[in-house]
Amino acid sequence: MSRLDFLYRMDLPHRAVSVYIYLFDRADKNGECWPAIPTIAKELKLSESTVRRASKDLKKAGLITTEQRYREKGGKSSLLYKLQKK
């Protein structure tokens, strides 16, 4: 049985499945990673708006949470993605 079987059984758009697998592959042992949306889009060959929609799909399904990160001088940095245990 695959660790991602639950994902394949869910009624999610293919964009969300792709982004979740990407995040899962890059997450540390705590289920956290922080790739930038442009990086995800480039590596998955998706548009940035598609990655944003996929992120919303995953949040709605309860599979991820996100937290905005900030640079030392207060500017926005990439999001912290946290995979939720299923």
Side-chain angles (χ1 to χ4, degrees):
M1 187 161 126
S2 167
R3 293 183 294 165
L4 297 176
D5 278 344
F6 71 92
L7 182 67
Y8 307 132
R9 291 191 304 268
M10 297 181 79
D11 186 26
L12 290 170
H14 66 279
R15 65 181 179 234
V17 173
S18 295
V19 170
Y20 186 87
I21 292 170
Y22 179 90
L23 297 173
F24 183 85
D25 187 50
R26 281 146 182 82
D28 63 14
K29 65 181 179 178
N30 298 319
E32 297 179 348
C33 58
W34 42 92
I37 289 175
T39 302
I40 298 170
K42 181 179 177 185
E43 292 188 3
L44 292 179
K45 296 169 182 57
L46 300 171
S47 70
E48 291 181 25
S49 60
T50 298
V51 172
R52 286 187 188 91
R53 285 192 301 272
S55 180
K56 287 180 185 177
D57 295 334
L58 293 169
K59 287 180 200 175
K60 186 176 178 181
L63 294 176
I64 66 168
T65 59
T66 59
E67 182 180 312
Q68 183 64 59
R69 297 178 335 130
Y70 294 93
R71 292 183 169 80
E72 289 181 17
K73 294 187 178 185
K76 286 185 178 181
S77 183
S78 60
L79 291 174
L80 170 64
Y81 293 89
K82 296 180 183 181
L83 302 178
Q84 302 304 304
K85 305 221 189 240
K86 285 287 175 184

Coordinates of all heavy atoms in Angstrom, one line a residue:
M1 N 0.8 -1.2 0.0 CA 0.0 0.0 0.0 C 0.9 1.2 0.0 O 1.8 1.4 0.8 CB -0.9 0.0 1.2 CG -1.9 1.1 1.2 SD -3.3 0.7 2.4 CE -3.2 2.2 3.3
S2 N 0.6 2.2 -0.9 CA 1.4 3.4 -1.0 C 1.0 4.4 0.1 O -0.1 4.4 0.6 CB 1.0 4.0 -2.4 OG 1.5 5.3 -2.4
R3 N 2.0 5.2 0.5 CA 1.8 6.2 1.5 C 0.8 7.3 0.9 O 0.3 8.1 1.7 CB 3.1 6.9 1.9 CG 4.0 5.9 2.7 CD 5.2 6.6 3.1 NE 6.0 7.0 2.0 CZ 7.0 7.9 2.0 NH1 7.3 8.4 3.2 NH2 7.7 8.2 1.0
L4 N 0.6 7.3 -0.4 CA -0.3 8.3 -1.0 C -1.6 7.8 -1.4 O -2.4 8.4 -2.1 CB 0.4 9.0 -2.1 CG 1.7 9.8 -1.7 CD1 2.3 10.4 -2.9 CD2 1.3 10.9 -0.7
D5 N -2.0 6.5 -1.1 CA -3.2 5.9 -1.5 C -4.4 6.8 -1.2 O -5.3 7.0 -1.9 CB -3.4 4.6 -0.9 CG -2.7 3.5 -1.6 OD1 -2.3 3.7 -2.8 OD2 -2.5 2.4 -1.1
F6 N -4.4 7.4 0.0 CA -5.5 8.3 0.4 C -5.7 9.4 -0.6 O -6.9 9.8 -0.9 CB -5.3 8.9 1.8 CG -4.2 9.9 1.8 CD1 -4.5 11.3 1.6 CD2 -2.8 9.6 2.0 CE1 -3.5 12.2 1.6 CE2 -1.8 10.5 2.0 CZ -2.2 11.9 1.8
L7 N -4.6 9.9 -1.2 CA -4.7 11.0 -2.1 C -5.4 10.6 -3.4 O -6.2 11.3 -3.9 CB -3.3 11.5 -2.4 CG -3.1 12.7 -3.3 CD1 -3.7 14.0 -2.7 CD2 -1.7 12.9 -3.7
Y8 N -5.1 9.4 -3.9 CA -5.6 8.9 -5.1 C -7.1 8.6 -5.0 O -7.9 8.6 -6.0 CB -4.9 7.7 -5.6 CG -3.4 7.9 -5.7 CD1 -2.5 7.0 -5.2 CD2 -2.9 9.1 -6.3 CE1 -1.1 7.3 -5.3 CE2 -1.5 9.3 -6.4 CZ -0.7 8.4 -5.9 OH 0.7 8.6 -6.0
R9 N -7.6 8.3 -3.8 CA -9.0 8.0 -3.5 C -9.8 9.3 -3.3 O -11.1 9.2 -3.3 CB -9.2 7.1 -2.3 CG -8.6 5.7 -2.5 CD -9.0 4.8 -1.4 NE -8.6 5.3 -0.1 CZ -7.5 5.0 0.5 NH1 -6.6 4.1 -0.1 NH2 -7.2 5.4 1.7
M10 N -9.2 10.4 -3.2 CA -9.9 11.7 -3.0 C -10.4 12.3 -4.3 O -9.8 12.0 -5.3 CB -9.0 12.7 -2.2 CG -8.6 12.3 -0.8 SD -7.6 13.5 0.0 CE -8.9 14.6 0.5
D11 N -11.5 13.0 -4.2 CA -12.0 13.7 -5.4 C -11.4 15.1 -5.5 O -12.0 16.1 -5.2 CB -13.5 13.8 -5.3 CG -14.2 14.3 -6.5 OD1 -13.6 14.1 -7.6 OD2 -15.3 14.9 -6.4
L12 N -10.1 15.1 -6.0 CA -9.4 16.3 -6.2 C -9.0 16.5 -7.7 O -8.8 15.5 -8.4 CB -8.0 16.2 -5.4 CG -8.1 16.3 -3.9 CD1 -6.8 15.9 -3.3 CD2 -8.6 17.6 -3.4
P13 N -8.9 17.8 -8.1 CA -8.5 18.0 -9.5 C -7.0 17.5 -9.7 O -6.3 17.5 -8.7 CB -8.6 19.5 -9.7 CG -9.2 20.0 -8.4 CD -9.3 19.0 -7.4
H14 N -6.7 17.2 -10.9 CA -5.3 16.7 -11.1 C -4.3 17.8 -10.7 O -3.2 17.4 -10.3 CB -5.1 16.3 -12.6 CG -5.2 17.4 -13.6 ND1 -6.4 17.9 -14.0 CD2 -4.3 18.1 -14.2 CE1 -6.2 18.9 -14.9 NE2 -4.9 19.1 -15.0
R15 N -4.6 19.1 -10.8 CA -3.6 20.1 -10.4 C -3.3 19.9 -9.0 O -2.1 20.1 -8.6 CB -4.2 21.5 -10.7 CG -5.4 21.8 -9.9 CD -5.9 23.2 -10.3 NE -7.1 23.5 -9.4 CZ -8.3 23.8 -9.9 NH1 -8.4 24.0 -11.2 NH2 -9.3 24.1 -9.1
A16 N -4.3 19.7 -8.1 CA -4.0 19.5 -6.7 C -3.2 18.3 -6.4 O -2.3 18.3 -5.5 CB -5.4 19.5 -6.0
V17 N -3.5 17.2 -7.1 CA -2.8 16.0 -6.9 C -1.3 16.2 -7.2 O -0.4 15.8 -6.5 CB -3.4 14.8 -7.7 CG1 -2.5 13.6 -7.6 CG2 -4.8 14.5 -7.2
S18 N -1.1 16.8 -8.3 CA 0.3 17.1 -8.8 C 1.1 18.0 -7.8 O 2.2 17.7 -7.4 CB 0.3 17.8 -10.1 OG -0.2 17.0 -11.1
V19 N 0.4 19.0 -7.3 CA 1.1 19.9 -6.4 C 1.3 19.2 -5.0 O 2.4 19.4 -4.4 CB 0.3 21.2 -6.2 CG1 0.8 22.1 -5.0 CG2 0.3 22.0 -7.5
Y20 N 0.4 18.4 -4.6 CA 0.6 17.7 -3.3 C 1.7 16.8 -3.4 O 2.6 16.7 -2.5 CB -0.7 16.9 -2.9 CG -0.5 16.3 -1.5 CD1 -0.9 17.1 -0.4 CD2 0.0 15.0 -1.3 CE1 -0.7 16.5 0.9 CE2 0.2 14.5 -0.1 CZ -0.2 15.2 1.0 OH 0.0 14.7 2.3
I21 N 1.8 16.0 -4.5 CA 3.0 15.1 -4.7 C 4.3 15.8 -4.7 O 5.3 15.4 -4.1 CB 2.8 14.2 -5.9 CG1 1.6 13.3 -5.7 CG2 4.0 13.4 -6.3 CD1 1.1 12.5 -7.0
Y22 N 4.3 17.0 -5.3 CA 5.5 17.8 -5.4 C 5.9 18.3 -3.9 O 7.1 18.1 -3.5 CB 5.2 19.1 -6.2 CG 6.4 20.0 -6.3 CD1 7.3 19.9 -7.3 CD2 6.6 21.0 -5.4 CE1 8.4 20.7 -7.4 CE2 7.6 21.9 -5.4 CZ 8.6 21.7 -6.4 OH 9.6 22.6 -6.5
L23 N 4.9 18.7 -3.2 CA 5.2 19.2 -1.8 C 5.6 18.0 -0.9 O 6.6 18.1 -0.1 CB 4.0 19.9 -1.2 CG 3.5 21.2 -1.9 CD1 2.2 21.6 -1.3 CD2 4.6 22.2 -1.8
F24 N 5.0 16.9 -1.1 CA 5.3 15.7 -0.3 C 6.7 15.2 -0.6 O 7.4 14.8 0.3 CB 4.3 14.5 -0.7 CG 4.5 13.3 0.0 CD1 3.8 13.1 1.3 CD2 5.2 12.2 -0.5 CE1 4.0 11.9 2.0 CE2 5.4 11.0 0.2 CZ 4.8 10.9 1.4
D25 N 7.1 15.3 -1.8 CA 8.5 14.9 -2.2 C 9.5 15.8 -1.6 O 10.7 15.4 -1.4 CB 8.6 14.9 -3.7 CG 9.9 14.4 -4.2 OD1 10.3 13.3 -3.8 OD2 10.5 15.0 -5.1
R26 N 9.2 17.1 -1.4 CA 10.2 18.1 -0.9 C 10.1 18.3 0.6 O 10.9 19.1 1.2 CB 10.0 19.4 -1.6 CG 10.7 19.2 -3.0 CD 10.1 20.0 -4.1 NE 10.8 19.8 -5.3 CZ 10.6 18.8 -6.1 NH1 9.8 17.8 -5.8 NH2 11.2 18.7 -7.3
A27 N 9.1 17.8 1.3 CA 8.9 18.0 2.7 C 9.9 17.3 3.6 O 10.4 16.3 3.2 CB 7.5 17.5 3.1
D28 N 10.2 18.0 4.7 CA 11.2 17.4 5.6 C 10.4 16.4 6.5 O 9.3 16.1 6.3 CB 11.9 18.5 6.5 CG 10.9 19.3 7.3 OD1 9.8 18.9 7.5 OD2 11.3 20.4 7.8
K29 N 11.1 15.9 7.5 CA 10.5 14.9 8.4 C 9.3 15.4 9.2 O 8.5 14.6 9.7 CB 11.6 14.3 9.3 CG 12.1 15.3 10.3 CD 13.1 14.6 11.2 CE 13.7 15.7 12.2 NZ 14.6 15.1 13.1
N30 N 9.2 16.7 9.3 CA 8.1 17.3 10.0 C 6.9 17.7 9.0 O 5.9 18.3 9.4 CB 8.5 18.6 10.7 CG 9.5 18.3 11.8 OD1 9.4 17.3 12.5 ND2 10.5 19.1 11.8
G31 N 7.1 17.3 7.8 CA 6.0 17.6 6.8 C 6.0 19.0 6.3 O 5.0 19.5 5.9
E32 N 7.2 19.7 6.4 CA 7.2 21.1 6.1 C 8.2 21.4 4.9 O 9.2 20.7 4.8 CB 7.7 22.0 7.2 CG 6.8 21.9 8.4 CD 7.3 22.7 9.6 OE1 8.4 23.2 9.6 OE2 6.5 22.9 10.5
C33 N 7.8 22.3 4.0 CA 8.7 22.7 2.9 C 8.3 24.2 2.6 O 7.2 24.6 3.0 CB 8.6 21.8 1.7 SG 7.0 21.6 1.0
W34 N 9.1 24.8 1.8 CA 8.9 26.2 1.5 C 9.3 26.6 0.1 O 9.9 27.6 -0.1 CB 9.5 27.1 2.5 CG 10.9 26.7 2.9 CD1 12.1 27.1 2.3 CD2 11.3 25.8 3.9 NE1 13.1 26.4 2.9 CE2 12.7 25.6 3.9 CE3 10.6 25.0 4.8 CZ2 13.4 24.7 4.7 CZ3 11.2 24.1 5.6 CH2 12.6 24.0 5.6
P35 N 8.8 25.9 -0.9 CA 9.1 26.3 -2.3 C 8.3 27.5 -2.7 O 7.1 27.6 -2.3 CB 8.8 25.0 -3.1 CG 7.7 24.4 -2.3 CD 8.1 24.6 -0.9
A36 N 8.8 28.3 -3.5 CA 8.1 29.5 -4.0 C 7.1 29.0 -5.1 O 7.4 28.1 -5.8 CB 9.1 30.5 -4.6
I37 N 6.0 29.7 -5.2 CA 5.0 29.4 -6.2 C 5.6 29.4 -7.6 O 5.4 28.4 -8.4 CB 3.8 30.3 -6.1 CG1 3.0 29.9 -4.8 CG2 2.9 30.2 -7.3 CD1 1.8 30.8 -4.5
P38 N 6.4 30.4 -8.0 CA 7.1 30.3 -9.3 C 7.9 29.0 -9.5 O 8.0 28.5 -10.6 CB 7.9 31.6 -9.4 CG 7.3 32.5 -8.5 CD 6.8 31.6 -7.3
T39 N 8.6 28.6 -8.5 CA 9.4 27.4 -8.6 C 8.5 26.1 -8.8 O 8.8 25.3 -9.7 CB 10.2 27.2 -7.3 OG1 11.1 28.3 -7.1 CG2 11.1 25.9 -7.3
I40 N 7.4 26.0 -8.0 CA 6.5 24.9 -8.2 C 6.0 24.9 -9.6 O 5.9 23.9 -10.3 CB 5.4 25.0 -7.2 CG1 5.9 24.9 -5.7 CG2 4.4 23.9 -7.4 CD1 4.9 25.2 -4.7
A41 N 5.5 26.1 -10.1 CA 4.9 26.2 -11.4 C 5.9 25.8 -12.5 O 5.6 25.1 -13.4 CB 4.5 27.7 -11.6
K42 N 7.2 26.3 -12.4 CA 8.2 26.0 -13.4 C 8.5 24.5 -13.4 O 8.5 23.9 -14.5 CB 9.5 26.8 -13.1 CG 10.6 26.5 -14.1 CD 11.8 27.3 -13.8 CE 12.9 27.0 -14.7 NZ 14.1 27.7 -14.4
E43 N 8.7 23.9 -12.2 CA 9.1 22.5 -12.2 C 7.9 21.5 -12.6 O 8.2 20.5 -13.1 CB 9.6 22.1 -10.8 CG 10.9 22.8 -10.6 CD 11.7 22.4 -9.3 OE1 11.2 21.5 -8.6 OE2 12.7 23.0 -9.0
L44 N 6.7 21.9 -12.3 CA 5.5 21.1 -12.7 C 5.0 21.5 -14.1 O 4.0 20.9 -14.6 CB 4.4 21.2 -11.7 CG 4.7 20.6 -10.3 CD1 3.5 20.8 -9.4 CD2 5.0 19.1 -10.5
K45 N 5.6 22.5 -14.7 CA 5.1 23.0 -16.0 C 3.6 23.4 -15.9 O 2.8 23.1 -16.8 CB 5.4 22.0 -17.1 CG 6.8 21.8 -17.3 CD 7.1 20.6 -18.1 CE 8.6 20.3 -18.3 NZ 9.3 20.1 -17.1
L46 N 3.3 24.2 -14.9 CA 1.9 24.7 -14.7 C 2.1 26.2 -14.6 O 3.2 26.8 -14.3 CB 1.3 24.2 -13.4 CG 1.1 22.7 -13.2 CD1 0.7 22.3 -11.8 CD2 0.1 22.2 -14.2
S47 N 1.0 26.9 -14.7 CA 1.0 28.4 -14.5 C 1.0 28.7 -13.0 O 0.5 27.8 -12.2 CB -0.2 29.1 -15.2 OG -1.4 28.7 -14.5
E48 N 1.4 29.8 -12.6 CA 1.4 30.2 -11.2 C 0.0 30.3 -10.7 O -0.3 29.9 -9.5 CB 2.1 31.6 -11.0 CG 3.6 31.5 -11.2 CD 4.3 32.8 -11.0 OE1 3.8 33.6 -10.3 OE2 5.4 33.0 -11.6
S49 N -1.0 30.7 -11.5 CA -2.4 30.8 -11.0 C -2.9 29.4 -10.8 O -3.7 29.2 -9.9 CB -3.2 31.6 -12.0 OG -3.2 31.0 -13.3
T50 N -2.5 28.4 -11.6 CA -2.9 27.0 -11.4 C -2.4 26.5 -10.1 O -3.1 25.8 -9.4 CB -2.5 26.2 -12.6 OG1 -3.1 26.7 -13.8 CG2 -2.9 24.7 -12.4
V51 N -1.1 26.8 -9.8 CA -0.5 26.4 -8.5 C -1.3 27.0 -7.4 O -1.6 26.3 -6.4 CB 1.0 26.7 -8.5 CG1 1.5 26.4 -7.1 CG2 1.7 25.9 -9.5
R52 N -1.7 28.3 -7.5 CA -2.4 28.9 -6.4 C -3.8 28.2 -6.2 O -4.3 28.0 -5.1 CB -2.6 30.4 -6.7 CG -1.3 31.2 -6.5 CD -1.6 32.7 -6.6 NE -0.4 33.4 -6.6 CZ 0.4 33.7 -7.7 NH1 0.0 33.4 -8.9 NH2 1.5 34.4 -7.5
R53 N -4.5 27.9 -7.4 CA -5.8 27.2 -7.3 C -5.6 25.8 -6.6 O -6.4 25.4 -5.8 CB -6.4 27.1 -8.7 CG -7.0 28.4 -9.2 CD -7.9 28.2 -10.4 NE -7.2 27.6 -11.5 CZ -6.5 28.3 -12.4 NH1 -6.5 29.7 -12.4 NH2 -5.9 27.7 -13.4
A54 N -4.5 25.2 -7.0 CA -4.3 23.8 -6.4 C -4.0 23.9 -4.9 O -4.5 23.1 -4.2 CB -3.1 23.2 -7.1
S55 N -3.3 25.0 -4.5 CA -3.1 25.2 -3.1 C -4.4 25.4 -2.4 O -4.6 24.9 -1.3 CB -2.1 26.4 -2.9 OG -1.9 26.6 -1.6
K56 N -5.3 26.2 -2.9 CA -6.6 26.4 -2.3 C -7.4 25.1 -2.3 O -8.1 24.8 -1.3 CB -7.4 27.4 -3.1 CG -6.9 28.8 -3.0 CD -7.7 29.8 -3.8 CE -7.1 31.2 -3.7 NZ -7.8 32.2 -4.5
D57 N -7.3 24.3 -3.3 CA -8.0 23.0 -3.3 C -7.5 22.1 -2.1 O -8.2 21.5 -1.4 CB -7.7 22.2 -4.6 CG -8.3 22.8 -5.8 OD1 -9.3 23.6 -5.7 OD2 -7.8 22.6 -6.9
L58 N -6.2 22.1 -2.0 CA -5.5 21.3 -0.9 C -5.9 21.8 0.5 O -6.1 21.0 1.4 CB -4.0 21.2 -1.1 CG -3.6 20.5 -2.4 CD1 -2.1 20.7 -2.6 CD2 -3.9 19.0 -2.3
K59 N -5.9 23.1 0.6 CA -6.3 23.7 1.9 C -7.8 23.3 2.2 O -8.1 22.9 3.4 CB -6.2 25.2 1.9 CG -4.8 25.7 2.0 CD -4.8 27.2 2.0 CE -3.5 27.8 1.5 NZ -3.5 29.2 1.4
K60 N -8.6 23.4 1.3 CA -10.1 23.1 1.5 C -10.3 21.6 1.8 O -11.1 21.3 2.6 CB -10.8 23.4 0.2 CG -12.3 23.3 0.3 CD -13.0 23.7 -1.0 CE -14.5 23.5 -0.8 NZ -15.2 23.9 -2.1
A61 N -9.4 20.8 1.2 CA -9.5 19.3 1.5 C -8.8 19.0 2.9 O -8.9 17.8 3.3 CB -8.9 18.5 0.4
G62 N -8.2 19.9 3.5 CA -7.5 19.7 4.8 C -6.2 19.0 4.7 O -5.7 18.4 5.6
L63 N -5.6 19.0 3.5 CA -4.3 18.3 3.3 C -3.1 19.2 3.6 O -2.0 18.6 3.8 CB -4.2 17.8 1.8 CG -5.2 16.7 1.5 CD1 -5.1 16.3 0.0 CD2 -5.0 15.5 2.3
I64 N -3.2 20.5 3.5 CA -2.1 21.4 3.8 C -2.6 22.6 4.5 O -3.8 22.9 4.5 CB -1.3 21.8 2.5 CG1 -2.2 22.7 1.6 CG2 -0.8 20.7 1.7 CD1 -1.5 23.5 0.5
T65 N -1.7 23.2 5.2 CA -1.9 24.6 5.7 C -0.7 25.4 5.2 O 0.4 24.8 4.9 CB -1.9 24.6 7.3 OG1 -0.7 24.1 7.8 CG2 -3.1 23.9 7.8
T66 N -0.8 26.7 5.2 CA 0.3 27.5 4.7 C 0.4 28.7 5.7 O -0.5 29.0 6.4 CB 0.0 28.2 3.3 OG1 -1.2 28.9 3.4 CG2 -0.1 27.1 2.3
E67 N 1.7 29.1 5.8 CA 2.0 30.2 6.7 C 2.9 31.2 6.0 O 3.9 30.7 5.4 CB 2.7 29.7 7.9 CG 3.1 30.7 9.0 CD 3.7 30.0 10.2 OE1 3.2 28.9 10.7 OE2 4.8 30.4 10.6
Q68 N 2.6 32.4 5.9 CA 3.4 33.4 5.2 C 4.7 33.6 6.0 O 4.7 33.8 7.2 CB 2.7 34.8 5.1 CG 3.5 35.8 4.3 CD 3.7 35.4 2.9 OE1 2.8 35.2 2.1 NE2 5.0 35.3 2.5
R69 N 5.8 33.6 5.3 CA 7.1 33.8 5.9 C 7.6 35.2 5.5 O 7.2 35.7 4.5 CB 8.1 32.8 5.5 CG 7.7 31.4 6.0 CD 8.7 30.3 5.6 NE 9.4 30.5 4.4 CZ 10.8 30.3 4.3 NH1 11.4 29.9 5.3 NH2 11.4 30.5 3.2
Y70 N 8.4 35.9 6.4 CA 8.9 37.2 6.1 C 10.4 37.3 6.2 O 11.0 36.6 7.0 CB 8.2 38.2 7.1 CG 6.7 38.3 6.9 CD1 5.9 37.5 7.7 CD2 6.2 39.2 6.0 CE1 4.5 37.6 7.5 CE2 4.8 39.3 5.8 CZ 4.0 38.5 6.6 OH 2.6 38.5 6.4
R71 N 11.0 38.2 5.4 CA 12.4 38.4 5.5 C 12.7 39.3 6.7 O 11.8 39.9 7.3 CB 12.8 39.1 4.2 CG 12.7 38.2 3.0 CD 13.3 38.9 1.8 NE 13.4 38.0 0.7 CZ 12.4 37.6 -0.1 NH1 11.2 38.0 0.1 NH2 12.6 36.8 -1.1
E72 N 14.0 39.4 7.1 CA 14.4 40.2 8.2 C 13.9 41.6 8.2 O 13.6 42.2 9.2 CB 15.9 40.1 8.4 CG 16.4 38.8 8.8 CD 17.9 38.8 9.0 OE1 18.5 39.9 9.1 OE2 18.5 37.7 9.1
K73 N 13.9 42.2 7.0 CA 13.5 43.6 6.8 C 12.0 43.8 6.6 O 11.5 44.9 6.3 CB 14.2 44.3 5.7 CG 15.7 44.4 6.0 CD 16.4 45.2 4.9 CE 17.9 45.3 5.3 NZ 18.6 46.2 4.4
G74 N 11.2 42.7 6.8 CA 9.8 42.7 6.7 C 9.1 42.4 5.4 O 7.9 42.3 5.3
G75 N 9.9 42.2 4.4 CA 9.3 41.8 3.1 C 8.8 40.4 3.1 O 9.3 39.5 3.8
K76 N 7.9 40.1 2.2 CA 7.3 38.7 2.1 C 8.4 37.8 1.5 O 9.1 38.1 0.6 CB 6.1 38.7 1.3 CG 4.9 39.2 2.0 CD 3.6 39.0 1.2 CE 2.4 39.5 1.9 NZ 1.2 39.3 1.1
S77 N 8.4 36.5 2.0 CA 9.2 35.5 1.5 C 8.3 34.4 1.0 O 7.1 34.6 1.0 CB 10.2 35.0 2.6 OG 11.0 34.0 2.1
S78 N 8.8 33.2 0.7 CA 7.9 32.1 0.3 C 7.1 31.6 1.4 O 7.3 31.8 2.6 CB 8.8 31.0 -0.3 OG 9.7 30.5 0.7
L79 N 6.0 30.9 1.0 CA 5.1 30.3 2.0 C 5.7 29.1 2.7 O 6.5 28.4 2.0 CB 3.8 29.9 1.3 CG 2.8 30.9 0.8 CD1 1.7 30.3 0.1 CD2 2.3 31.8 1.9
L80 N 5.4 28.9 3.9 CA 5.7 27.6 4.6 C 4.5 26.7 4.4 O 3.4 27.0 4.8 CB 6.0 27.8 6.0 CG 6.2 26.6 6.9 CD1 7.4 25.8 6.5 CD2 6.2 26.9 8.4
Y81 N 4.7 25.6 3.7 CA 3.7 24.6 3.5 C 3.8 23.5 4.6 O 4.9 23.0 4.8 CB 3.8 23.9 2.1 CG 3.6 24.9 1.0 CD1 4.6 25.6 0.4 CD2 2.3 25.0 0.5 CE1 4.4 26.5 -0.6 CE2 2.0 25.9 -0.6 CZ 3.1 26.6 -1.1 OH 2.9 27.4 -2.2
K82 N 2.7 23.2 5.2 CA 2.7 22.1 6.2 C 1.7 21.0 5.8 O 0.5 21.3 5.6 CB 2.3 22.6 7.6 CG 3.3 23.6 8.2 CD 2.8 24.1 9.5 CE 3.7 25.2 10.0 NZ 3.3 25.7 11.4
L83 N 2.3 19.8 5.5 CA 1.4 18.7 5.1 C 0.7 18.2 6.4 O 1.3 18.0 7.4 CB 2.2 17.6 4.5 CG 3.0 18.0 3.2 CD1 3.8 16.8 2.7 CD2 2.1 18.6 2.2
Q84 N -0.6 18.0 6.3 CA -1.4 17.5 7.4 C -1.4 15.9 7.3 O -1.5 15.4 6.3 CB -2.8 18.0 7.4 CG -2.8 19.5 7.4 CD -2.1 20.1 8.6 OE1 -2.4 19.8 9.7 NE2 -1.1 21.0 8.3
K85 N -1.3 15.3 8.5 CA -1.3 13.8 8.5 C -2.7 13.3 8.2 O -3.7 13.8 8.7 CB -0.9 13.4 9.9 CG 0.5 14.0 10.3 CD 1.3 13.0 11.0 CE 2.5 13.7 11.5 NZ 3.7 13.4 11.1
K86 N -2.7 12.3 7.3 CA -3.9 11.6 6.9 C -3.8 10.2 7.3 O -2.9 9.6 7.4 CB -4.2 11.8 5.4 CG -4.7 13.1 5.1 CD -6.1 13.3 5.5 CE -6.5 14.7 5.3 NZ -7.8 15.0 5.8

